[in-house]
Amino acid sequence: MRYLIKNGIIYDGDGGNPFRGDILIENEIIQEIGTNLTAPAEIINAAGQIVAPGFIDTHRHCDLAALLDQEFGTIELHQGLTSVAGGNCGLGIFPAGRNRKDIYDFVEPCLGAAAESLSISGYEEYGKRLEEKGLPLHTGLFLGTGAVKAAIKGYGNSPFTVKEMELAKGYIRENLESGVLGLSMGIMYQPECYSSYKEMTELLKTAAPYGRPLMCHIRGEGDSLVSSVREVIGLCQEAELPLNISHFKATGIRNWNKTIYKAIEAVEEARNRGQDVTADFYPYCGGSTTLLSLLPPSVIEGSLEESYRKLHNKHGIEKLKKELYKEQEGWDNMVTSIGWSRILISSVTKESNRILTGLDFEKAADIRGYEDPAELMADLLYEENGKVGIILLSMSQEDVDTVARLPYTMLISDSLYGRSDCPHPRLYGSFPRLIRDFVRERRILTMESAIQKMTSMPADRLNLKKRGRLKDGYYADMVVFHQNRFTDHGDYSNPKQLSSGLSYVFVDGKMALCDDQRLHGSNGKVLRIN
C-alpha cells in the first residue's frame, strides 16, 4: 500500500525546526520526504497538521495486557503510541518457575491478573505468543531482575548463594540472547530492596557485553533520593551498563523544590565524566504503585502471605503502626512524607472493597470505622492478599517541570494495567497531556522538544533501528494531528477517558487509526535487539 501525505508540518523527531513537506510511504518504509512529491498513491491532505514519528513509551506495565487483552492497543493508539515496552521496575512474568503463584500475586496490581496455568519460560517464548496473537503496535519487554530473583528465591530477604547467582546470570544471558530490550531493576520493591550493592553489581555485570540499558526504579525517591541516585550510578559505572533512571522525581512535601536539584547535580556529574546516564518522567504530580510499597521492610517476616497474616491481629497492627509512623534509614516512608490524605486507593480485587476505590485512605478508613488508616491498610493487605493498587499525590508541579526541561529526559507513562475502577489517568493520556499541558497551555516545552522526548530519544535509548525519526528508509511509524485538537480527557476522579484529536496513526506504513477510530489489525512487531 502506498500513501502520500501532502503539505504537512513535519517534525522529524530530532528536535530541529519543523518544515512543510510531503512524505511518501510504500509498504513499511518512508520512501521519500520532500516538497511537491507526486506518485500513484492514496493522498492524505495534512495541510495545517503536524506530522511526526509515532510516539514510543518505554515504560508501560503491559506485559500481560499485550498477551491476554483483546482490546490492547485501543488506549495506546489513541495517544499516538506506535511502540511500547513492558517489564519495568524489576517486575515481570518470567522466569516464574516454582514461585509462579507468588510472583503473579505480587505483580497483579501493576500488570493485571494471570492464571497460574500461564507459564512462559523467557522472552523467546513470550515473543512467539505475541506473534501468534497479533499485535496492534510494536511491543517489547525488559527483563526484570526482581522477577529473576523472585523466581529463584521467592520474596525473602536472603542473598543469592553462589549456585543461585550463577542460575540468575544464566537467565539474564538467555533472555538477552533472545533479544530482550535490556534489564530493569526495582530496588524499592521486594525482593531487590534486600539486595546488597555487591550482589547487584555482580548480577548486572553479566549484561555488560550486550550494551543494553538498565532501566532502574531506584531505592528511594524522597529523603533518600540523592543517595539512591548515586547508588545506581555507581552500580552501572562498575557494571559498565548504560543507565536510565525511571520516573525521575522528588517525593514528599519536605523535599519539594530543593532535593531534585541535588539529584540532578549527581546525574550531571556522572554525565560530565562520560557515563551514559539518562532519565525519564511522566507528566503528572501523582504516581501509582502497589500498596506493598508502603509496607516497612521491618515488618515483613517470611513469605508475603505470612506477613499479611501476622498483620491481621492486634500485635501485628501495633507493630505496623510503630514502624509506619517513624522514619527508617534507607527506606522512604510515604505515609509520613505526604500523609494518608494524599494516598488514594485505585484498585482492589474483592467486590466488597470496590466502594473504596477512588478514595484517599483517611476517607476510606472513616467509612469503614477505623480509628487509624494503618488498620485499614493491614486489613486490605490481608483480605486482598496484597493485590491493592494506590495513587500517591507526592510531587510538586515545579519539580516535574524542572525534570521535563532537562535535555536528557524522555517521556513515559508508567501505566499500570491492574484491574481498576479508578486507574491513574496516565494510562489513558500521558502523551497528549505533554502536548496540551506542557506545550500548548503552559509553554514549558517547545513542540519540537516535546516530540523529541516522545520519539527519537526513547528510540535511541532502546537501540531501536530506523524508528523514532522521519527519514528516508526509516519505518513508517507516524502520527498526524492538529496541534490544538490532540488532547487528554481523564483526571483522578474520572480517568477512563480515551484521548482524542488524532487524524491518523500509521504502524509500519499501515493505517492503524483514522479520525480517532481504531482500525483493528495486526500491524505491530515484537521488538527484539540483536
Side-chain angles (χ1 to χ4, degrees):
M1 185 68 185
R2 276 185 161 194
Y3 294 98
L4 180 56
I5 301 173
K6 297 284 292 182
N7 304 312
I9 305 168
I10 298 173
Y11 288 79
D12 64 11
D14 269 329
N17 293 330
F19 56 93
R20 296 186 182 276
D22 309 333
I23 301 178
L24 176 63
I25 302 171
E26 184 172 3
N27 298 323
E28 299 181 341
I29 303 299
I30 297 172
Q31 293 294 332
E32 187 177 0
I33 299 175
T35 55
N36 301 316
L37 297 183
T38 60
E42 181 174 333
I43 305 298
I44 293 175
N45 182 10
Q49 298 191 69
I50 289 173
V51 183
F55 303 146
I56 300 171
D57 189 351
T58 65
H59 196 126
R60 294 183 84 85
H61 292 278
C62 58
D63 314 32
L64 287 170
L67 194 65
L68 304 175
D69 185 357
Q70 294 305 312
E71 286 303 308
F72 177 70
T74 299
I75 290 171
E76 295 76 16
L77 289 168
H78 275 79
Q79 295 181 67
L81 291 170
T82 57
S83 296
V84 295
N88 284 279
C89 297
L91 306 176
I93 57 173
F94 59 80
R98 60 186 175 84
N99 293 319
R100 184 180 301 117
K101 182 181 184 303
D102 289 344
I103 291 172
Y104 290 174
D105 285 347
F106 185 81
V107 303
E108 185 170 330
C110 296
L111 274 60
E116 195 175 343
S117 58
L118 178 70
S119 177
I120 295 175
S121 59
Y123 196 55
E124 183 174 355
E125 181 181 358
Y126 180 81
K128 287 178 180 178
R129 293 201 188 189
L130 287 184
E131 289 166 344
E132 291 169 1
K133 172 179 177 280
L135 284 170
L137 67 162
H138 311 307
T139 306
L141 289 187
F142 300 98
L143 175 66
T145 56
V148 170
K149 189 168 187 180
I152 296 169
K153 297 192 67 66
Y155 290 94
N157 59 6
S158 60
F160 281 129
T161 64
V162 173
K163 184 177 180 180
E164 289 169 341
M165 175 61 80
E166 290 307 309
L167 182 58
K169 291 177 180 179
Y171 282 136
I172 289 174
R173 283 189 289 265
E174 175 189 336
N175 284 281
L176 288 169
E177 292 289 344
S178 298
V180 76
L181 301 176
L183 301 183
S184 81
M185 183 171 275
I187 311 177
M188 180 179 283
Y189 298 121
Q190 294 114 14
E192 292 191 292
C193 63
Y194 303 115
S195 297
S196 69
Y197 187 92
K198 180 181 179 182
E199 180 177 277
M200 289 187 287
T201 304
E202 182 177 353
L203 190 64
L204 293 176
K205 284 181 177 179
T206 312
Y210 299 88
R212 289 171 223 171
L214 172 71
M215 317 295 276
C216 190
H217 185 145
I218 59 179
R219 190 178 299 276
E221 298 169 329
D223 296 347
S224 62
L225 172 62
V226 178
S227 62
S228 297
V229 166
R230 292 191 184 281
E231 176 186 36
V232 72
I233 287 173
L235 284 173
C236 285
Q237 184 177 30
E238 290 191 38
E240 298 182 337
L241 284 185
L243 168 64
N244 183 76
I245 298 173
S246 297
H247 35 67
F248 190 34
K249 59 181 178 286
T251 63
I253 296 170
R254 60 177 168 260
N255 294 307
W256 288 358
N257 308 325
K258 56 182 180 181
T259 306
I260 193 66
Y261 299 104
K262 297 177 183 178
I264 290 169
E265 285 179 8
V267 171
E268 295 185 349
E269 286 171 5
R271 287 174 59 85
N272 290 337
R273 293 194 304 267
Q275 191 171 347
D276 185 355
V277 183
T278 58
D280 56 47
F281 69 98
Y282 44 76
Y284 297 87
C285 295
S288 190
T289 184
T290 168
L291 184 57
L292 287 170
S293 67
L294 303 188
L295 197 60
S298 54
V299 305
I300 299 172
E301 301 177 14
S303 69
L304 290 174
E305 286 190 9
E306 186 179 351
S307 298
Y308 306 150
R309 286 195 299 271
K310 289 182 178 179
L311 290 176
H312 196 60
N313 58 55
K314 184 176 180 180
H315 174 74
I317 291 173
E318 289 306 314
K319 182 176 180 180
L320 175 63
K321 290 179 183 178
K322 179 182 176 182
E323 298 299 309
L324 200 54
Y325 294 129
K326 72 178 185 182
E327 299 301 330
Q328 300 194 35
E329 187 176 352
W331 178 72
D332 280 346
N333 189 333
M334 296 305 295
V335 172
T336 58
S337 65
I338 64 173
W340 288 113
S341 65
R342 287 179 169 270
I343 303 173
L344 314 181
I345 299 169
S346 61
S347 68
V348 293
T349 64
K350 305 294 185 185
E351 186 67 30
S352 59
N353 290 325
R354 289 184 67 181
I355 192 174
L356 303 179
T357 56
L359 300 179
D360 67 63
F361 260 84
E362 284 187 354
K363 291 178 181 176
D366 186 59
I367 286 175
R368 284 287 173 88
Y370 292 97
E371 291 184 4
D372 189 323
E375 298 167 6
L376 172 61
M377 174 183 169
D379 281 354
L380 279 179
L381 287 171
Y382 176 75
E383 293 170 13
E384 299 278 347
N385 196 29
K387 301 175 186 179
V388 181
I390 57 174
I391 292 173
L392 304 166
L393 304 178
S394 60
M395 292 165 273
S396 79
Q397 188 66 62
E398 182 179 327
D399 284 355
V400 176
D401 294 347
T402 295
V403 172
R405 290 189 184 102
L406 295 171
Y408 48 84
T409 57
M410 59 188 177
L411 182 71
I412 61 164
S413 71
D414 194 11
S415 295
L416 307 189
Y417 284 75
R419 186 182 71 176
S420 175
D421 293 327
C422 197
H424 196 296
R426 65 191 183 189
L427 174 63
Y428 286 79
S430 291
F431 284 71
R433 180 183 176 88
L434 190 74
I435 290 175
R436 175 189 62 78
D437 183 33
F438 285 68
V439 176
R440 198 163 67 226
E441 296 179 359
R442 295 192 297 119
R443 302 189 178 186
I444 300 300
L445 299 170
T446 63
M447 181 65 77
E448 50 266 40
S449 176
I451 288 175
Q452 184 181 27
K453 290 175 181 290
M454 298 188 286
T455 58
S456 65
M457 288 180 69
D460 291 347
R461 183 74 289 179
L462 298 188
N463 299 307
L464 299 181
K465 298 295 193 303
K466 296 188 176 182
R467 299 195 188 277
R469 292 173 173 84
L470 299 182
K471 288 188 174 182
D472 292 357
Y474 271 54
Y475 291 106
D477 296 334
M478 300 167 58
V479 294
V480 181
F481 61 93
H482 288 279
Q483 176 174 341
N484 294 326
R485 295 181 188 172
F486 186 34
T487 191
D488 60 315
H489 299 285
D491 56 26
Y492 292 112
S493 62
N494 189 21
K496 290 186 172 182
Q497 306 295 316
L498 287 175
S499 296
S500 66
L502 288 171
S503 298
Y504 300 97
V505 176
F506 291 91
V507 178
D508 270 6
K510 302 179 185 69
M511 195 179 293
L513 184 141
C514 177
D515 291 333
D516 285 329
Q517 297 299 311
R518 177 184 172 183
L519 308 176
H520 286 266
S522 299
N523 305 325
K525 294 185 175 72
V526 176
L527 297 174
R528 294 184 178 91
I529 308 299
N530 298 319

